[in-house]
């Protein structure tokens, strides 16, 4: 962050304010961890913060401190709209384009209060007064740690704030294994452990949270996996019917996409999940090395993300979407 940005932040935060903190739609561990970390930090600075999520967050995050105070826009549009309108400052965390909030974008676009963006995705839109955007970070939570540090308030990072920050670092780094996990990431984590987090317990809460049915759904997904061996690609499909069969709940498909990359020599994998209600196929893409799935998602699937993890959607049927994907893969110069 520049000196000017820091000065702007200090002046914005100098007097108590009503502050709305927004994660992206379908928030993950990093989105919820970062927004709740910032929430607890701003509370300590005597502000009146509130986290407003565009839609429900998954169950495996419902233990996060103060997650019960999070407002859900799509569940109560009238009330949350009023709260948003009365906010004097808006933080958007873990995304950089208002459309990532779904329907809520229309309300956000009309707000007069200044925006502050903290995010690690590529190509940020130009909607914020202060844009703290850096793709070198593995998680928005690590950025929130640095945000608090540059404001000279690191002493305020207590066990609660540290727990939220740790959650996003762990989930967005695949438990410290993705390439953006740096020595600094580990130093930050060391400080979080010094702040009193129970790191082992957080892993337990995040990952030992399966239901029998979600494991059966995983089994189904693995059976559906296809491998395009000559093209170093694998993919998984899950139809709405299959999701219904295993009583799918939000979060149940989290992480399944990564199994496709665990096959030897596979460098690109995808999962296609049908959502009949929204009339889309939700797509998650993962890669290893320099194969750029952000580009693939942007070019072909109305999405984006990072070089090794991206997402998007298709408005075609599952069959047509898969045919299109296979054709892209067969013709891709880097998959021959
Ligand atoms: P996931 O596959 O876990 O949903 O998302 C992987 C990465 O891609 C995340 O960093 C996420 O922010 C990004 N991403 C997922 N879906 C979309 C999308 O529809 N549009 C854009 N621009 N990015 C997405
Ligand atoms: Mn993130």
């Amino acid at each position: 962050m520049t000196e000017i940005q820091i000065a702007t932040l200090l002046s914005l935060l100098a007097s108590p304010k009503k502050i709305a903190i927004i994660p992206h739609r379908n928030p993950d561990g990093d989105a919820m961890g970062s927004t709740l970390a910032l929430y607890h930090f701003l509370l300590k600075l005597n502000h009146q913060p509130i986290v407003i999520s565009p839609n429900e967050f998954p169950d495996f995050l419902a233990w996060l401190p103060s997650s019960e105070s999070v407002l859900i826009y799509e569940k109560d549009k009238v009330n949350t709209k009023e709260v948003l309108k009365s906010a004097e400052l808006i933080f958007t965390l873990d995304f950089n384009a208002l459309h990532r909030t779904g329907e809520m974008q229309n309300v956000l676009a009309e707000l007069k209060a200044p925006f502050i963006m903290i995010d690690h995705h590529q190509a940020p839109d130009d909607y914020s007064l202060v844009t703290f955007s850096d793709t070198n970070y593995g998680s928005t939570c690590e950025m929130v740690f640095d945000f608090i540090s540059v404001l000279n308030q690191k002493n305020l990072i207590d066990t609660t704030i540290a727990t939220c920050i740790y959650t996003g670092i762990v989930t967005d780094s695949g438990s410290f294994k993705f390439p953006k996990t740096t020595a600094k990431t580990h130093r930050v984590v060391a400080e979080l452990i010094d702040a009193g987090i129970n790191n082992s317990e957080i892993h337990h809460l995040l990952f030992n949270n399966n239901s029998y049915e979600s494991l059966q759904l995983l089994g189904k997904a693995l059976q559906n996996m296809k491998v395009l061996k000559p093209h170093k690609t694998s993919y998984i499909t899950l139809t709405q019917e299959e999701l219904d069969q295993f009583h799918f709940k939000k979060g149940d498909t989290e992480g399944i996409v990564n199994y496709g990359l665990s096959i030897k020599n596979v460098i690109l994998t995808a999962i296609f999940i049908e959502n009949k209600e929204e009339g889309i196929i939700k797509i998650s893409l993962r890669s290893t090395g320099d194969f750029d799935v952000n580009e693939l998602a942007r070019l072909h699937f109305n999405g984006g993300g990072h070089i090794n993890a991206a997402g998007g959607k298709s408005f075609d049927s599952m069959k047509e979407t898969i045919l299109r994907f296979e054709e892209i893969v067969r013709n891709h110069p880097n998959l021959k």
Side-chain angles (χ1 to χ4, degrees):
M1 257 188 287
T2 65
E3 293 298 321
I4 296 173
Q5 286 182 317
I6 296 166
T8 308
L9 286 170
L10 287 172
S11 101
L12 285 169
L13 295 173
S15 55
K17 283 195 168 61
K18 289 184 180 167
I19 303 179
I21 311 170
I22 324 278
H24 53 78
R25 195 167 188 276
N26 297 322
D28 57 4
D30 192 30
M32 292 310 294
S34 59
T35 50
L36 285 167
L38 186 66
Y39 166 84
H40 287 286
F41 170 67
L42 294 172
L43 268 186
K44 284 193 150 184
L45 292 181
N46 295 319
H47 293 287
Q48 287 174 263
I50 179 89
V51 177
I52 307 178
S53 177
N55 65 345
E56 294 269 17
F57 54 89
D59 260 2
F60 77 94
L61 297 170
W63 58 271
L64 277 167
S66 295
S67 58
E68 70 286 349
S69 75
V70 173
L71 299 182
I72 309 292
Y73 172 75
E74 289 176 23
K75 248 174 62 179
D76 186 6
K77 292 180 192 170
V78 177
N79 180 36
T80 41
K81 206 170 163 172
E82 287 313 307
V83 176
L84 279 167
K85 277 187 186 160
S86 69
E88 297 159 274
L89 190 58
I90 322 278
F91 278 87
T92 65
L93 266 58
D94 202 35
F95 67 96
N96 62 18
L98 295 183
H99 68 80
R100 293 293 316 282
T101 63
E103 237 183 85
M104 190 177 169
Q105 68 179 305
N106 302 319
V107 185
L108 293 179
E110 286 188 357
L111 298 177
K112 299 285 178 284
F115 280 64
I116 297 168
M117 179 203 298
I118 306 179
D119 180 61
H120 64 138
H121 295 88
Q122 296 178 352
D125 275 359
D126 183 19
Y127 61 79
S128 44
L129 176 66
V130 178
T131 303
F132 179 23
S133 160
D134 190 341
T135 58
N136 292 311
Y137 281 89
S139 66
T140 299
C141 275
E142 192 176 325
M143 298 180 80
V144 168
F145 182 92
D146 282 1
F147 177 87
I148 295 173
S149 304
V150 299
L151 296 180
N152 258 328
Q153 305 283 3
K154 215 157 84 172
N155 57 316
L156 292 186
I157 298 183
D158 58 8
T159 309
T160 301
I161 296 174
T163 294
C164 297
I165 293 177
Y166 186 76
T167 293
I169 292 179
V170 165
T171 52
D172 257 27
S173 70
S175 301
F176 308 108
K177 66 178 172 286
F178 296 151
K180 282 178 186 169
T181 312
T182 60
K184 201 205 119 221
T185 309
H186 284 283
R187 279 195 285 271
V188 167
V189 165
E191 292 195 48
L192 301 176
I193 294 173
D194 283 341
I197 63 163
N198 189 338
N199 46 318
S200 180
E201 174 68 7
I202 296 172
H203 282 262
H204 173 71
L205 291 167
L206 285 171
F207 303 116
N208 295 345
N209 213 336
N210 293 309
S211 63
Y212 173 74
E213 276 148 337
S214 71
L215 285 183
Q216 296 293 305
L217 180 66
L218 169 64
K220 185 73 204 171
L222 295 179
Q223 284 183 337
N224 288 351
M225 189 190 290
K226 296 272 185 302
V227 181
L228 307 172
K229 205 171 168 194
H231 304 289
K232 301 174 206 148
T233 298
S234 63
Y235 69 86
I236 288 172
T237 56
L238 281 173
T239 62
Q240 184 72 61
E241 201 176 312
E242 289 166 333
L243 295 170
D244 293 345
Q245 185 189 345
F246 297 102
H247 305 112
F248 166 78
K249 285 206 314 293
K250 211 173 199 52
D252 283 353
T253 53
E254 193 84 20
I256 295 183
V257 63
N258 298 306
Y259 283 91
L261 268 193
S262 69
I263 296 179
K264 197 172 175 181
N265 294 328
V266 163
I267 63 167
L268 167 66
T269 196
I271 187 166
F272 298 86
I273 302 173
E274 187 176 27
N275 184 330
K276 275 252 163 82
E277 197 183 317
E278 294 185 16
I280 59 165
I281 311 286
K282 177 73 187 114
I283 304 162
S284 287
L285 296 154
R286 298 289 185 272
S287 66
T288 52
D290 50 18
F291 189 90
D292 189 351
V293 285
N294 169 51
E295 187 188 79
L296 198 111
R298 276 178 191 266
L299 282 178
H300 302 285
F301 295 112
N302 313 292
H306 316 267
I307 174 167
N308 294 133
K313 48 184 167 297
S314 162
F315 302 98
D316 297 330
S317 68
M318 181 68 93
K319 202 173 157 198
E320 283 170 304
T321 306
I322 293 301
L323 279 173
R324 198 145 57 84
F325 177 72
E326 288 204 359
E327 193 178 314
I328 293 162
V329 164
R330 267 192 237 103
N331 294 320
H332 203 291
N334 300 344
L335 296 172
K336 290 203 192 297

